[in-house]
Amino acid sequence: MNFIVINEPFQCLNCGAKVPTQKGSCRNHCQVCLYSRHVDAEFPGDRASQCEGLMAPTGLTQSGKKGWILLHQCIKCGRTIRNKLADDDNMDLAIALSRNPLP
Ligand SMILES: [Zn+2]
Ligand SMILES: [Zn+2]
């Protein structure tokens, strides 16, 4: 099994949008619908998971230094992972998520 290249454009599995790379960050979620893919096992960017399930955005939380953190839950295995929100992500959707009660 090959490692997945960390920072390259990909096509969203949920909405089909082409997601460009982001400078200085390893983006792993769609900027349009905020869906992600379960490729990280222990921490963002490790690409150690072999699940590869679709991850739904479930909430937004703020973490002092890091700024806004997007919470994703894997539809396949149920694991939750936190991801930093990017500047060009869909802010309307992110704000709607921030009103969700956190799990
Ligand atoms: Zn999408
Ligand atoms: Zn999973």
Side-chain angles (χ1 to χ4, degrees), residues 68-80:
W68 291 102
I69 305 290
L70 197 56
L71 304 172
H72 281 117
Q73 185 166 35
C74 180
I75 289 169
K76 205 162 146 190
C77 71
R79 192 180 171 100
T80 45

Side-chain angles (χ1 to χ4, degrees), residues 11-19 30-35 54:
Q11 188 165 23
C12 176
L13 291 174
N14 182 57
C15 73
K18 285 245 166 49
V19 184
C30 173
Q31 68 197 124
V32 179
C33 67
L34 303 181
Y35 271 66
L54 198 60

Side-chain angles (χ1 to χ4, degrees), residues 58-60 71 96-103:
T58 55
L60 188 73
L71 304 172
L97 283 169
S98 73
R99 298 198 190 100
N100 281 355
L102 296 178

